Amino acid sequence: MSAKKNEYKVGGDGRLYFTYNLGAEYELLPPVSAPFTYKFVAYEWDELTETEYFRIESAGKELPARFSVNQIKSMLAQFPHEQKAEGEPVELPLLISEVRAYYAAKLKQLRKANVQGNEKLKGTKYNGNLQAIKTLSENLRFYVSSGDEASAAELRENLSKLEAEQAKILDEKKVDLKILHKKADCELCKDTGVKDGRICECAYAISDKIKAYNAAERLARR
């Protein structure tokens, strides 16, 4: 049986927040004893399991353990209770599921742009020039290794002309060479956003953009 997927609180802005607000306070009302309070004074995040935990204060003292959402729900369910203080919402750190969703969408857009770019180049000399450049490059390596500098110099000149022509075609057709070659922005994760099961540095660098994308998707599904 697979582990139950974590569920997180979605804010009005579509972003994910810790289930309980920082500073939130609940008063529990036991039927045969004095009321007591639980106050949320700190939160913790387990990056590996993407699980949220909370530190709670009761009767002015912090309880010795940290508590998961399910544990807190059980604690609050023991007695009737009232929320006395709302506290402040705290946004969750970047989730690996959000990273995967963002980079999947990015890849989809890249493939679409690649197709559009190749369509724009139809009827031009671009693809024919690519083969000519490949052949010239192979010949150039041969003449360089053979010490035939005169032939090598001629090939370099021809290559330079072809490459300039390629650049002109791309500019005129408004085609990005990087998109055309599907070159990854990040060599570490190859634009997946995840490396060795962990969020890649490139994803952390654009974490707000990733969160904004996922928030918009959640709002669109409402």
Side-chain angles (χ1 to χ4, degrees):
M1 183 181 295
S2 60
K4 183 179 179 181
K5 183 179 178 181
N6 290 330
E7 295 181 1
Y8 307 105
K9 183 172 73 174
V10 180
D13 57 0
R15 293 185 178 233
L16 299 179
Y17 292 85
F18 281 89
T19 301
Y20 297 97
N21 292 350
L22 187 63
E25 191 169 340
Y26 293 83
E27 183 179 48
L28 281 78
L29 307 167
V32 294
S33 59
F36 63 95
T37 60
Y38 285 145
K39 182 177 181 180
F40 292 81
V41 294
Y43 55 88
E44 296 177 10
W45 178 251
D46 187 315
E47 182 181 357
L48 189 61
T49 61
E50 295 193 331
T51 304
E52 50 186 322
Y53 294 96
F54 300 87
R55 295 285 178 175
I56 295 175
E57 181 181 280
S58 184
K61 293 183 179 180
E62 185 176 317
L63 302 182
R66 68 178 187 176
F67 300 93
S68 69
V69 171
N70 286 337
Q71 287 174 320
I72 292 169
K73 287 180 178 178
S74 295
M75 291 161 66
L76 293 176
Q78 289 179 355
F79 305 110
H81 60 273
E82 297 178 2
Q83 186 169 356
K84 293 297 185 178
E86 185 175 346
E88 293 294 328
V90 178
E91 190 173 354
L92 288 178
L94 187 64
L95 271 65
I96 197 167
S97 57
E98 292 186 302
V99 171
R100 293 187 191 280
Y102 175 85
Y103 278 88
K106 179 181 178 181
L107 178 59
K108 184 177 180 180
Q109 291 302 316
L110 176 62
R111 287 172 175 166
K112 182 179 179 181
N114 177 267
V115 171
Q116 292 172 340
N118 279 294
E119 283 295 319
K120 290 179 181 180
L121 293 175
K122 284 185 177 179
T124 71
K125 294 182 179 180
Y126 188 83
N127 289 322
N129 285 348
L130 282 180
Q131 184 57 50
I133 288 172
K134 180 181 178 182
T135 301
L136 285 174
S137 297
E138 291 171 351
N139 292 338
L140 177 59
R141 290 193 294 273
F142 173 78
Y143 285 122
V144 168
S145 64
S146 301
D148 188 344
E149 186 54 39
S151 296
E154 182 180 353
L155 287 176
R156 288 193 187 96
E157 183 179 352
N158 291 337
L159 269 173
S160 180
K161 290 179 181 178
L162 277 176
E163 288 168 350
E165 184 176 357
Q166 294 293 76
K168 183 180 179 182
I169 293 171
L170 290 172
D171 183 61
E172 289 176 346
K173 295 296 183 179
K174 301 292 188 280
V175 175
D176 187 337
L177 185 61
K178 189 173 184 179
I179 290 176
L180 198 64
H181 289 177
K182 298 181 181 177
K183 183 175 175 60
D185 290 320
C186 179
E187 289 300 320
L188 292 175
C189 69
K190 304 301 180 186
D191 283 2
T192 62
V194 178
K195 185 179 186 302
D196 299 329
R198 295 294 187 100
I199 296 174
C200 185
E201 295 173 7
C202 68
Y204 279 122
I206 57 168
S207 59
D208 194 65
K209 183 183 292 187
I210 295 173
K211 286 186 174 188
Y213 165 77
N214 282 276
E217 288 296 297
R218 291 186 196 99
L219 292 175
R221 292 193 292 268
R222 286 184 174 178

